[in-house]
């Protein structure tokens, strides 16, 4: 028996209530930030997902004590005895995640050196770690490529600098923040990412004693300090998971109340959801999403960095667009391979055509580089159950949505990958009345 296959009997609307906890794109980074402190930190609203377990293991390898707190979803992280870790142990923990690259700055500050093995993560297009290493060199780090990874040192310490990112990369912005807060002098970061999770990480660092300002032109200035303390912080809710459940409700003609969902971080998604024909209602505890009946409307959609339509919202919504009347146009501007998941949807009965041209006017990272990064979705079409192999985190959840919306039975392989970012998703499906079996 294995828990890596989920059998989904489709055709039933999902209905009920589920809860989202802290954002996958914030919580592991806030855990890394605890490395910088001279006192314990307390992080609340932590989801039980694989990325959290990976970072917890890496922190423990480096001498950080991590224990559960007083309330469910609370971690207490004590960095009093940070130490070097065994290379093989780091590699064993880190192979399935890209987050270890963010350990570099904190470890250089605490130990004077760091080791980073080869990195994993979802295969959705180029996500070069060169940005990260270029950033670290700008602070004064030296990087030696070895057979088993990259070895970093800071022989003269780390110093503030001016950095302009060629693209507002979330990971590179996080790298700068986690490195600059204890670097000597002032760091000015231009063309920074400004996602809500970045703002929440800045809140964490400010609680620790950092001095960080954000300008309206994507410029972040960090004045280095000599010492940071701990923090107590409740992570912002996962807007990407909330939107995934919203898309599932729409695709299956169902209704889902998402406890913990927050309107402010989801405003762009909510506008698009309403244009497609989905309904939602916001209250103090969360958001209810539902299909109101009648036909859904085709739309033109372009992904973008925040405050645009997030690329991680795109794949789940595309499944719902297969049920909309007319031609929907989707222009993916962030990850060049993110639309590859649509081939399986076509095998299930969808009509989705991919194009190399930019079908939209938004600035695009790779419009002239021959990638299939635009899609035309013709609907509505009836989806049929199929054998599905999960390609990446968001694509994987999208396959679950397609299987739920399809007629007949689907076998979804590789569901372990979904555990990276969706807490207890199989239990939540059952709570919503989905007919699923663990194979």
């Amino acid at each position: 028996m294995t828990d890596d296959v989920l059998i989904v009997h489709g055709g039933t609307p999902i209905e009920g209530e589920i809860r989202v906890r802290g954002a996958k794109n914030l919580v592991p980074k806030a855990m890394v930030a605890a490395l910088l402190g001279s006192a314990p930190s307390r992080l609340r609203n932590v989801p039980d997902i694989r990325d959290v377990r990976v970072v917890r293991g890496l922190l423990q390898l480096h001498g950080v004590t991590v224990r559960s707190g007083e309330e469910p979803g609370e971690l207490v992280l004590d960095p009093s005895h940070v130490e070097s870790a065994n290379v093989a142990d780091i590699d064993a923990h880190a192979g399935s995640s890209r987050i270890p690259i963010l350990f570099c700055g904190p470890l250089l500050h605490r130990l004077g050196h760091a080791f980073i093995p080869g990195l994993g993560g979802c295969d959705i297009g180029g996500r070069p770690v060169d940005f990260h290493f270029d950033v670290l060199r700008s602070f004064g780090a030296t990087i030696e490529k070895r057979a088993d990874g990259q070895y970093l040192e800071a022989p003269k310490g780390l110093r503030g600098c001016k950095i302009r990112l060629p693209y507002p990369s979330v990971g590179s912005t996080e790298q700068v923040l986690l490195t600059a807060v204890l670097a000597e002098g002032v760091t000015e970061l231009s063309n920074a990412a400004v996602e809500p999770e970045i703002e929440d990480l800045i809140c964490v660092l400010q609680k620790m004693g950092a001095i960080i300002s954000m300008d309206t032109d994507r410029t972040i200035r960090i004045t280095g300090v000599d010492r940071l303390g701990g923090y107590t912080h409740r992570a912002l809710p996962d807007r990407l998971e909330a939107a995934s459940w919203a898309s599932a409700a729409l695709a299956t003609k169902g209704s889902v109340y998402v406890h913990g969902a927050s309107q402010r971080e989801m405003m762009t998604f909510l506008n698009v959801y309403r244009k497609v024909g989905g309904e939602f209602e916001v209250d103090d505890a969360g958001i209810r999403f539902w299909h109101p009946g009648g036909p859904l409307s085709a739309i033109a959609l372009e992904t973008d960095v925040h405050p645009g339509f997030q690329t991680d919202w795109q794949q789940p919504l595309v499944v719902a667009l297969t049920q909309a009347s007319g031609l929907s146009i989707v222009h993916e501007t962030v990850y060049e391979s993110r639309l590859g998941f649509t081939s399986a949807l076509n095998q299930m009965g969808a009509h989705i055509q991919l194009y190399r041209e930019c079908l939209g006017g938004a600035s695009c990272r790779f419009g002239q580089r021959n990638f299939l990064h635009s899609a035309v979705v013709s609907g509505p079409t009836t989806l049929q159950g199929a054998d599905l192999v999960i390609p990446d985190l968001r694509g994987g959840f999208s396959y679950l949505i397609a299987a739920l919306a399809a007629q007949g039975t689907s076998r979804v392989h590789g569901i372990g990958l979904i555990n990276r970012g969706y807490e207890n998703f199989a239990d939540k499906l059952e709570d919503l009345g989905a007919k699923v079996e663990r194979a």
Side-chain angles (χ1 to χ4, degrees), residues 37 88 135 142 169 196 218 231:
V135 162
T142 62
S169 157
R218 292 187 176 273
Y231 64 80

Side-chain angles (χ1 to χ4, degrees), residues 19 257-261 283-287:
R19 177 176 297 278
Y257 183 88
V258 184
H259 289 272
D283 61 32
D284 291 342
I287 305 176

